[in-house]
Amino acid sequence: MGIVSPGFQGRRRPAEPNLPPGQYLTEDFPVLSAGPTPRVSLTDWEFVLSTETGAESRWSWDEMWALPTETPTVDIHCVTHWSKLGTNWRGVSVDTLLDGVDTAADYALVHSYGGYTTNLPLDDLRDGQAWIVHQYDGADLPAEHGGPARLLVPHLYFWKSAKWVRGIRLGLTDEPGFWETAGYHDYGDPWREQRYQGD
C-alpha cells in the first residue's frame, strides 16, 4: 500500500497574484536609493516644467497642492524583482501640469533634488498614467520614499518614478537619465521584463 494515495495534492496553496515575469510579491516597502537622501524644506521646494523652447511653468509647494488632486491606487514593480500591490497615493496628475502647455516634444527628462534624472516618452506621462505625489497610504511621503514629492509612473519599473522630484524638461530627442546611462533599459516595461539595455 502506498504512503500517498493517488491524486493527493497536499495542501492547496492560494493563487499567486498576476505579477510581471521575474517579480515576487512583498508586503513591506523596500527602500533603495543610489545616493544620500536629499532633505528639502517645503519653503524651498519648487517644481519647474520647461519646454523645448525654454518656456517655464513654476509651482511652489503651496501652489502645487492648491491644484486638484487625485488618489490613485496602483501596483508598483521594482527592477530588483519586488512588486507591491494596491498602493495608495495622493497627488496631482501630470495632465494637470501639462494643461495649456504649448509643446511639440515627444520626450521628457525628469529631474530630482540630489541630481538624479530619468527619461520617459511624454506619452507615458499623459492620459492619467502619471502623478506628482506627496502622500502615501494617507500620510505625508517620507523622505526615504521620495518625499516631499515624487513622480509616480506605475506602469513602468519603479526607477522611472523619480524620488525627490523637482522638475520635468520636455524635449524633441530622448536623453538618457542616471540609470539609463548605466545600462538600464530606456523604457522599462515590467510586463516585457525590460530591465537592462537589450532586454
Side-chain angles (χ1 to χ4, degrees):
M1 178 172 153
I3 296 175
V4 177
S5 62
F8 180 73
Q9 301 293 320
R11 185 177 301 150
R12 185 178 295 269
R13 294 182 183 179
E16 284 294 316
N18 186 19
L19 295 177
Q23 297 294 110
Y24 69 88
L25 187 63
T26 185
E27 296 298 328
D28 60 357
F29 196 164
V31 175
L32 300 168
S33 299
T37 299
R39 304 292 174 176
V40 184
S41 74
L42 301 188
T43 54
D44 293 334
W45 187 91
E46 182 181 51
F47 186 90
V48 180
L49 175 66
S50 59
T51 73
E52 70 279 12
T53 66
E56 292 185 343
S57 301
R58 295 174 176 267
W59 293 268
S60 68
W61 184 260
D62 289 340
E63 290 167 340
M64 177 66 76
W65 308 119
L67 297 172
T69 59
E70 300 178 1
T71 53
T73 298
V74 296
D75 302 338
I76 54 177
H77 309 289
C78 184
V79 71
T80 61
H81 298 278
W82 60 262
S83 290
K84 186 170 177 62
L85 305 183
T87 61
N88 300 300
W89 307 83
R90 177 180 291 277
V92 173
S93 172
V94 175
D95 290 319
T96 300
L97 304 181
L98 290 170
D99 187 37
V101 171
D102 184 19
T103 182
D106 292 317
Y107 300 98
L109 188 66
V110 181
H111 292 263
S112 296
Y113 290 97
Y116 179 83
T117 57
T118 192
N119 59 307
L120 305 98
L122 182 54
D123 283 348
D124 285 274
L125 297 177
R126 295 186 183 274
D127 300 323
Q129 298 184 93
W131 299 264
I132 306 299
V133 294
H134 70 299
Q135 289 187 353
Y136 170 73
D137 219 11
D140 290 344
L141 187 62
E144 63 268 22
H145 288 305
R150 77 178 296 157
L151 180 66
L152 178 66
V153 191
H155 66 282
L156 300 177
Y157 279 124
F158 209 42
W159 91 80
K160 295 289 187 177
S161 294
K163 296 179 178 182
W164 316 299
V165 69
R166 67 178 179 88
I168 298 174
R169 181 164 50 84
L170 307 181
L172 301 176
T173 57
D174 194 14
E175 182 181 337
F178 177 86
W179 284 118
E180 295 81 11
T181 57
Y184 280 61
H185 200 279
D186 274 340
Y187 188 60
D189 182 345
W191 295 98
R192 295 160 65 189
E193 210 164 359
Q194 293 176 331
R195 300 178 196 276
Y196 307 106
Q197 299 293 345
D199 286 348

